[in-house]
Amino acid sequence: MKKKIWMAGLIAALAVGMSAGSAYAAEALSPSDQVNILIANVKTWKPTKGGSYVLTDLDGNGRLEIITSYVTRKRTKAVGIWEVNADGNGIEACELPWKEDEEMPELTQKNVAVYYDAEEDLSYFVFGEPEETVIALKDGVVSCCSYEELDTGKLEARRGVLSWVSTSEHPLDGAPMEQILELAGESCAAFSVKADE
């Protein structure tokens, strides 16, 4: 009974949070409010079975993103990125540099090198072992280059931590909403970008 009451309260809070979000800029919303918005839109971003997702703020604009990584039916790697919209009442897909049927990079890493460009206010996240793919997000557009193309000489070296959630271990289909919210909240809380030591 308590679980049903708690769940009803959660659903009401989601509804109130989403309607209230339209009155305020997304940056004014707390991270937990933004997690609620992302999870309320799970049908939009849900990766295929065996995929993974992570909550981030790659561009540091105060609006959370959810990144998905999964294998398509054609056995190619696919990536999707959605960000809480500026009105704080939903999510919007980020523009990707890859075509839909193109092999996309492997991003499911926990620890990554990050290079910050203070002039451009842009963070470059380096994925792969050895370093292979560099992605950055600005104004809803994802850019991608190889590590060799990145001129790190004038950039500040940082370290990033991402906490991916595997849908093999934690399926989204049929899972209780409180479990999905808890995992997403943990992923969000674990995300960090700090100065390299």
Side-chain angles (χ1 to χ4, degrees):
M1 183 66 166
K2 285 183 181 178
K3 196 171 195 175
K4 286 182 181 179
I5 292 170
W6 184 86
M7 195 62 182
L10 176 66
I11 291 168
L14 277 172
V16 168
M18 288 185 69
S19 63
S22 62
Y24 304 101
E27 292 86 352
L29 296 174
S30 71
S32 61
D33 288 337
Q34 293 188 52
V35 169
N36 287 341
I37 290 168
L38 289 165
I39 298 308
N41 289 278
V42 66
K43 289 182 180 178
T44 301
W45 57 260
K46 182 173 71 170
T48 60
K49 186 177 180 183
S52 299
Y53 62 94
V54 64
L55 279 76
T56 65
D57 186 9
L58 299 180
D59 53 6
N61 69 354
R63 290 191 280 139
L64 297 180
E65 307 99 26
I66 193 151
I67 305 173
T68 61
S69 177
Y70 58 96
V71 176
T72 68
R73 290 182 183 176
K74 294 181 179 179
R75 308 305 301 161
T76 59
K77 181 65 71 176
V79 172
I81 304 177
W82 292 263
E83 184 174 39
V84 173
N85 65 25
D87 292 333
N89 60 2
I91 63 173
E92 55 194 11
C94 294
E95 184 180 318
L96 301 177
W98 314 284
K99 295 178 182 170
E100 193 171 317
D101 57 352
E102 186 178 351
E103 180 80 19
M104 299 181 194
E106 173 60 67
L107 302 180
T108 54
Q109 246 177 272
K110 180 177 180 179
N111 298 298
V112 296
V114 180
Y115 292 93
Y116 179 66
D117 183 336
E119 285 183 19
E120 298 291 328
D121 189 25
L122 191 62
S123 293
Y124 296 94
F125 290 76
V126 184
F127 294 89
E129 295 291 340
E131 295 89 350
E132 296 173 0
T133 303
V134 179
I135 68 165
L137 175 64
K138 187 164 187 171
D139 300 326
V141 179
V142 177
S143 59
C144 179
C145 67
S146 69
Y147 181 71
E148 290 76 26
E149 295 174 271
L150 185 66
D151 181 8
T152 60
K154 297 179 180 178
L155 305 179
E156 180 186 328
R158 298 179 174 183
R159 299 300 302 169
V161 176
L162 294 90
S163 180
W164 290 87
V165 180
S166 167
T167 61
S168 293
E169 296 174 21
H170 304 285
L172 292 165
D173 292 325
M177 185 58 75
E178 62 265 25
Q179 178 187 353
I180 298 171
L181 281 167
E182 181 179 349
L183 291 167
E186 289 171 1
S187 177
C188 175
F191 174 74
S192 68
V193 176
K194 297 178 180 175
D196 204 1
E197 297 175 355

